[in-house]
Amino acid sequence: MAGTTLEETTGMKKELIKKICYLALKALKLTGKPYHVEKTICSSETIISFQGSWSVNDWFARNPFGETKVDLQLFPSLRSIGNDEAALVNEAFLNKFKQILGGSALGNVVQKAVTNKKKIVFTGYSSGAPIAILATLWALDKYRNPNTSQIPLLCVTFGSPLVGDRIFSHAMRRDKWSDYFINFVARYDIVPRILLAPLSSIQQNLEPVLQFLNPQSQNFKNEFIGRSNETRNFYLTVMKNAATITSHAACNLMHSTNLLVEAIGNFIELSPYRPFGTYIFCTENGKLILMKNPDAVLQLFFYSSQLSNESEGQEVAYRSLQNHLNYKSELLKGSKVVYLDQPEKLPLSAKDSYGNNNSAFNDLGMSTRARLCLRAAGELEMQKTRNQDKIGKRINDVEKALSDLKDYKEVCEGKKVGYYDAFKLQNDEKDFLSNVKRLELAGIWDEIIEMLKRYELPDELEGREEWIKLGTKFRRLVEPLDIANYYRHLKNEDSGAYMKKARPKRYRYTQRWLEHAVRMPTGACSESTFWAEVEELSIKTNNKRPFEDVKKDVVQLEKKLEKWIHDEVLSKDIFVKGSTFVKWWKTLPPQHQSGSCIKNFIEE
């Protein structure tokens, strides 16, 4: 836990942060246009602030929580790479952003700022904030290029509702985008917690609450002040749902074996939305608390605004709405930031000696249970790191086995047998020893993949260059051996289809890592499955199927093979006399062979 200043934390001067807040609040009052662009000749920033929405339909597309799978055409990074699972996002916010992007000059504004090398700051207040978040993600994906430096981007939100699910947060951390998002949240502000409750539980009071927050409905504000029961009920309902979600999440963090925990998840539909990015909590006493751990932030969402008893409900409920409108004054008060970078070390008592930083958490009313939950969130991150260290200790074993297989490959090529066919025939002791190496590597990588499936490793692992390189090296050297082993033991040719029925996850995952890193479409880096495609086409043509039925697949494979040979991701031992590929290719019609781009490789 470390203390710092707001300027050091955000990299922006306090005057700029206040200006961004002012523009975000100003955008709530926009009429006739969905966003405002602020730029000056002497400024190095282009600030784009988004209009808010105050209709229930602009918050919930449907019951219970209004989520939908993200549009991967627009946001290709918002998915779990290995598990190949798209993130969930709020559909109403997503539709609003799509409408703005397609019906305005936003794309041109961003392109101009990028061309002029301006720092782009997207911002939004209240329901304008999710649109700013989606705009930032769109720009990050659009202008992300593995061969160039990242464009200068930042997203600053004030009182933002939640936008996406756990995979959404995972993707941000994997691609190291979390630091681009700074979310200010006031202690009692109810808006960031609203989407933790199902629409059916708050629908009756949501519309009046949104109208109270609407800066253009001043007359309604005066009327709403007298509706204290509605305000109280709304606040308590949201917080009860927040309590259920955080308790369920905390039990999972602590690996509780209580069957009731599992029952809650099975019988009660919980909100899918989770925090992501950098959160700065305002304590109301001029102190600011910064957190990046999304599990810890979720716990703080509930415990920082927890009531001592329900009799406080009316007072706190009204304050929760007022807090939402007062970020500007909070920023004027706050300057010192306490960064909770190690929640697992948070003291369990407000009286414990832990420097001056513990007093900031005292200002949030952190109970012992709250501190335990925050510590559990930190401990989970530590466990993920320990798991990574554990598999990291086996990297030398992986590298040694891969080196041995590379030597074996060179021996095979020297004998003009070919790597794939030598292993498939298993006529030599070296073939047997290489099979042992294959099985050793499979065991190590299967262990890694199982941990990734359960999210037991750091989110960043799948995006790290060293792991992508190692996974690619492993896949290209070992998968051909798996394919050879599969077709060597295949009894019934009709039960082939390695790609559909038998391809292990260890190769699917590592292939997706590379495709994501180099920004290529799914399936573009499938060179390690070349032999499976050859075997399947060979089965089809051996079954006397007319060549015209498979011609399209044959031509496509030849084009890919030519590129893979040119890019040196496949070696030319494919073309040795008597290889599985050459034998099959020479069974194709002579007129196809003579016009094929592969002919020259075989003749060489």
Side-chain angles (χ1 to χ4, degrees), residues 234-401:
F234 179 82
Y235 183 85
L236 291 177
T237 300
V238 171
M239 293 309 297
K240 283 177 181 176
N241 280 278
T244 301
I245 290 167
T246 52
S247 295
H248 185 263
C251 288
N252 288 329
L253 289 172
M254 299 175 190
H255 303 291
S256 172
T257 56
N258 191 329
L259 294 178
L260 183 59
V261 176
E262 184 178 349
I264 290 175
N266 290 335
F267 294 103
I268 300 176
E269 191 163 10
L270 301 175
S271 171
Y273 300 109
R274 295 295 182 268
F276 83 98
T278 300
Y279 273 81
I280 299 179
F281 285 85
C282 308
T283 65
E284 294 188 315
N285 293 327
K287 296 171 185 174
L288 303 170
I289 295 177
L290 184 147
M291 281 189 181
K292 295 184 179 182
N293 182 318
D295 294 311
V297 171
L298 179 64
Q299 297 300 321
L300 205 58
F301 263 31
F302 171 66
Y303 286 108
S304 66
S305 53
Q306 185 183 22
L307 303 179
S308 301
N309 55 71
E310 290 202 5
S311 64
E312 297 178 352
Q314 186 169 317
E315 175 192 348
V316 174
Y318 183 68
R319 198 195 318 175
S320 74
L321 300 180
Q322 291 289 61
N323 271 190
H324 185 67
L325 303 173
N326 291 334
Y327 280 91
K328 187 176 179 182
S329 60
E330 286 288 343
L331 291 175
L332 287 173
K333 289 189 292 184
S335 58
K336 183 179 179 182
V337 179
V338 175
Y339 177 21
L340 186 64
D341 56 340
Q342 295 178 304
E344 68 279 2
K345 295 184 178 179
L346 185 68
L348 291 179
S349 171
K351 297 178 182 179
D352 288 350
S353 176
Y354 203 71
N356 295 326
N357 292 332
N358 201 15
S359 65
F361 286 87
N362 296 341
D363 291 339
L364 289 179
M366 292 286 99
S367 63
T368 299
R369 177 173 174 79
R371 291 164 182 264
L372 274 171
C373 292
L374 290 173
R375 287 177 65 157
E379 181 57 35
L380 177 63
E381 287 298 306
M382 292 293 293
Q383 183 58 51
K384 289 182 179 181
T385 301
R386 287 193 289 269
N387 289 342
Q388 179 179 256
D389 292 341
K390 177 184 173 183
I391 63 173
K393 291 177 181 178
R394 304 197 68 182
I395 293 301
N396 287 338
D397 296 336
V398 172
E399 293 281 14
K400 176 65 170 60

Side-chain angles (χ1 to χ4, degrees), residues 11 24 35 64 76 147 230 326 329 340 392 424 516 582:
Y35 60 87
N147 299 318
E230 293 180 15
N326 291 334
S329 60
L340 186 64
K424 188 177 180 182
H516 178 76
V582 172

Side-chain angles (χ1 to χ4, degrees), residues 146 233 353 403 517:
N233 291 339
S353 176
S403 178

Side-chain angles (χ1 to χ4, degrees), residues 6 12-29 36 38 47-50 121-126 155-159 182 184-185 282 323-332:
L6 190 58
M12 296 181 291
K13 292 185 177 179
K14 193 170 182 179
E15 289 72 21
L16 177 59
I17 297 174
K18 287 189 287 186
K19 180 181 180 181
I20 293 170
C21 183
Y22 165 77
L23 292 171
L25 190 57
K26 180 181 177 181
L28 293 183
K29 303 175 184 178
H36 170 75
E38 184 82 6
I47 304 173
I48 305 173
S49 51
F50 290 89
V121 180
F122 293 102
T123 187
Y125 201 112
S126 193
C155 179
V156 184
T157 71
F158 305 90
I182 300 172
F184 287 91
V185 173
C282 308
N323 271 190
H324 185 67
L325 303 173
N326 291 334
Y327 280 91
K328 187 176 179 182
S329 60
E330 286 288 343
L331 291 175
L332 287 173

Side-chain angles (χ1 to χ4, degrees), residues 32-37 39 46 48 50 97-114 120 122 135 138 142-143:
K33 58 179 183 177
Y35 60 87
H36 170 75
V37 181
K39 50 188 177 181
T46 294
I48 305 173
F50 290 89
F97 171 71
K98 285 183 174 181
Q99 180 185 352
I100 293 171
L101 185 63
S104 71
L106 178 62
N108 293 334
V109 171
V110 174
Q111 180 62 62
K112 185 175 181 180
V114 170
I120 305 171
F122 293 102
W138 164 78
K142 181 178 176 62
Y143 293 100

